[in-house]
């Protein structure tokens, strides 16, 4: 049985919910209409234990049957500030410059499908906590919900979530213990030197030459300071200075990101980053002003819960349940849940499609019922 038969019946209505969310994308913490629609659908399934406004626009619903553990299932609801280019699609975004380019419309729909099924069948003992989370895209909605008391009000024994993956064969469920996505720290550096005529460099402290040196030197943190068996990425993604071809400017700005799976490597990278940037600037008599921001932690799946989830995945997709997909350097705020509650974050193959955050991306509707069946299966298996 590739998917739960009852959930297969929902394909048409789930597709219509997904298209509604796709047409009406909302950015981080502005998911007002999205959460209204989520609540409306949950109520139509007969689910009335619903709390709104956790983490600003988050929604939490509880399904309860008998006595048992409590399993959390989470989906994200926010869209991205991207102008959609899927002009051939009838359900393309109606909000100009906003788009579901990461498939959170699909994630929300898959959790709603599981909610409808579980509320109908009640083939479990315990509680299923349905978490509809805002602001995954850079604004830490998971953290906001936790800080708003989510886990105190709704104690959860285990938590599960899922993200679609373009390029991964349609319907594959990739479930594995250990690091799956990276931590993402961000930095901005202002290099303050001294401006001068472009023909008289000795009168300057040239922030551009200094900046070029900084950019070269921080790459050596990866190649010479970090254990080669560990994973570390340091990317300078912007470098701006000056606006005339005969003027050495006073300052330069650069910004970028640091990615890793292991927090010790992250600490090492941060310490060396400050040392190398400051000493490189000192060598040029320039001054560095560093703004370093810790971002999402690494997403690290727990051993036991990954095994449980893999077993549930096998029941749904058989040999398409895979524990052999390499981790990625992207980041995901489900990591905040995994720091508090044992759990597992899976990937579901979206098939061949434009990549995430691309203006031509679209969620694959044919995986909706697979994802829903997987979530429902986890709840049933863990609360059997
Ligand atoms: Zn995204
Ligand atoms: Zn996403």
């Amino acid at each position: 049985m590739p998917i739960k038969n009852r959930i297969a019946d929902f394909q048409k209505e789930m597709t219509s919910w997904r298209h509604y969310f796709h047409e009406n994308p909302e950015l981080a913490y502005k998911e007002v209409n999205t959460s209204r629609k989520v609540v409306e659908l949950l109520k139509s399934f007969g689910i009335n234990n619903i709390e709104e406004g956790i983490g600003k626009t988050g929604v939490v619903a509880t399904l309860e049957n008998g006595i048992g553990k409590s399993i959390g299932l989470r989906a994200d609801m926010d869209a991205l500030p991207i102008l959609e280019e899927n002009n051939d699609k009838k359900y393309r975004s109606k909000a100009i410059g906003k788009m579901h380019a990461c498939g959170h419309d699909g994630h929300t729909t898959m959790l709603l499908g599981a909610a409808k099924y579980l509320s109908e069948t009640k083939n479990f003992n315990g509680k299923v906590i349905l978490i509809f989370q805002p602001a995954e895209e850079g604004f830490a909605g998971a953290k906001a919900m936790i800080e708003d008391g989510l886990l105190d009000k709704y104690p959860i024994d285990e938590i599960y979530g899922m993200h679609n993956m373009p390029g991964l064969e349609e319907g594959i469920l990739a479930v594995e213990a250990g690091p799956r996505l990276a931590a993402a720290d961000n930095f901005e550096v202002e290099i303050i030197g001294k401006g001068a005529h472009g023909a008289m460099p000795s009168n300057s402290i040239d922030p551009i030459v200094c900046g070029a040196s900084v950019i070269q030197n921080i790459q050596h943190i990866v190649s010479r300071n970090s254990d080669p068996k560990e994973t570390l990425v340091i990317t300078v993604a912007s470098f701006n200075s000056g606006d005339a071809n005969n003027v050495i400017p006073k300052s330069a700005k650069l910004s970028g990101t640091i990615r890793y799976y292991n927090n010790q490597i992250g600490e090492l990278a941060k310490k060396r980053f400050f040392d190398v940037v400051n000493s490189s600037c000192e060598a040029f008599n320039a001054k560095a002003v560093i703004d370093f921001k810790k971002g999402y932690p690494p997403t690290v799946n727990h051993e036991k819960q990954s095994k449980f989830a893999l077993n549930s995945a096998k029941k749904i997709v058989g040999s398409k349940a895979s524990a052999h997909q390499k981790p990625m350097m992207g980041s995901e705020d489900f990591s905040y849940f995994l720091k508090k509650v044992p759990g597992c974050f899976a990937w579901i193959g979206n098939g061949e499609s434009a990549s995430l955050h691309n203006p031509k991306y679209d969620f694959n509707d044919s995986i909706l019922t697979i994802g829903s069946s997987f979530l429902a299966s986890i709840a049933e298996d863990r609360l059997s």
Side-chain angles (χ1 to χ4, degrees):
M1 184 177 69
I3 51 175
K4 288 187 179 288
N5 290 332
R6 182 66 189 121
I7 291 181
D9 295 341
F10 303 162
Q11 174 70 47
K12 219 174 145 195
E13 56 182 324
M14 284 177 69
T15 303
S16 75
W17 306 338
R18 212 280 290 178
H19 291 183
Y20 177 85
F21 292 128
H22 194 87
E23 271 185 297
N24 299 283
E26 294 172 301
L27 302 182
Y29 298 120
K30 303 256 162 60
E31 305 90 338
V32 176
N33 180 56
T34 306
S35 47
R36 181 201 56 76
K37 179 75 177 173
V38 164
V39 170
E40 181 190 301
L41 285 167
L42 290 171
K43 285 186 176 163
S44 76
F45 311 152
I47 301 172
N48 291 306
N49 190 345
I50 301 171
E51 184 173 345
E52 295 177 65
I54 299 196
K56 288 189 186 157
T57 40
V59 176
V60 181
T62 307
L63 276 166
E64 196 167 0
N65 195 47
I67 295 168
K69 278 193 305 214
S70 171
I71 297 296
L73 301 175
R74 171 273 205 176
D76 40 15
M77 302 189 290
D78 57 321
L80 285 154
I82 292 177
L83 181 65
E84 178 159 20
E85 289 178 14
N86 291 316
N87 295 328
D88 54 326
K89 304 242 157 113
K90 270 193 200 148
Y91 54 86
R92 69 180 173 272
S93 170
K94 286 186 196 161
I96 294 168
K98 295 176 203 166
M99 178 192 173
H100 271 294
C102 205
H104 299 184
D105 48 350
H107 302 166
T108 297
T109 301
M110 291 190 290
L111 185 54
L112 284 165
K116 182 174 160 86
Y117 167 84
L118 290 166
S119 66
E120 247 181 50
T121 52
K122 292 235 167 68
N123 187 20
F124 62 90
N125 283 304
K127 279 184 191 163
V128 183
I129 311 293
L130 306 160
I131 302 164
F132 295 89
Q133 184 211 297
E136 192 286 324
E137 297 288 0
F139 293 91
K143 188 164 171 255
M145 288 188 94
I146 293 168
E147 285 173 356
D148 223 356
L150 170 73
L151 301 174
D152 305 317
K153 284 193 219 167
Y154 304 91
I156 293 169
D157 294 302
E158 296 171 15
I159 191 161
Y160 298 88
M162 173 175 35
H163 205 294
N164 78 94
M165 193 55 65
L168 185 63
E169 192 186 326
E170 184 179 299
I172 280 192
L173 288 169
V175 187
E176 199 166 348
R180 304 309 292 149
L181 291 144
D185 297 340
N186 298 304
F187 59 81
E188 281 176 31
V189 179
E190 184 174 13
I191 297 165
I192 300 166
K194 189 178 146 206
H197 194 293
M200 301 167 194
S202 55
N203 290 340
S204 77
I205 296 173
D206 188 337
I208 295 180
V209 176
C210 175
S213 174
V214 166
I215 292 166
Q216 292 287 338
N217 291 343
I218 57 178
Q219 285 309 321
H220 300 152
I221 299 170
V222 179
S223 69
R224 299 294 99 173
N225 297 146
S226 176
D227 184 336
K229 297 186 292 302
E230 295 283 352
T231 305
L232 177 64
V233 170
I234 301 182
T235 291
V236 174
S238 77
F239 183 25
N240 294 300
S241 183
D243 33 38
N245 65 357
N246 56 359
V247 179
I248 295 171
K250 188 175 149 240
S251 68
K253 281 185 179 170
L254 54 92
S255 70
T257 184
I258 300 184
R259 306 283 173 122
Y260 50 89
Y261 298 128
N262 175 340
N263 284 321
Q264 278 176 317
I265 294 296
E267 283 310 309
L268 171 91
K270 183 181 174 186
K271 187 185 175 298
R272 289 298 294 149
F273 182 84
F274 274 81
D275 291 349
V276 172
V277 172
N278 282 323
S279 56
S280 302
C281 287
E282 211 178 298
F284 283 85
N285 267 332
K287 195 173 159 258
V289 179
I290 302 173
D291 182 11
F292 193 99
K293 287 196 176 73
K294 277 294 219 192
Y296 293 173
T299 303
V300 184
N301 282 345
H302 295 248
E303 199 76 44
K304 270 191 193 167
Q305 284 66 31
S306 303
K307 270 188 196 148
F308 299 147
L310 183 63
N311 283 334
S312 300
K314 280 178 183 163
K315 288 186 190 171
I316 305 302
V317 294
S319 61
K320 277 187 158 186
S322 162
H324 303 288
Q325 300 297 327
K326 285 190 173 147
M328 293 178 66
M329 298 312 289
S331 69
E332 162 65 55
D333 76 352
F334 191 77
S335 50
Y336 289 103
F337 291 123
L338 290 176
K339 282 180 81 174
K340 301 270 183 193
V341 180
C344 176
F345 191 68
W347 292 333
I348 181 167
N350 200 50
E352 285 313 315
S353 74
S355 61
L356 299 172
H357 296 205
N358 182 294
K360 289 196 186 305
Y361 166 83
D362 195 19
F363 186 89
N364 181 348
D365 287 321
S366 54
I367 64 172
L368 284 171
T369 52
I370 301 171
S372 266
S373 299
F374 175 49
L375 292 172
S377 245
I378 291 174
E380 288 182 341
D381 292 348
R382 297 305 299 136
L383 299 173
S384 63

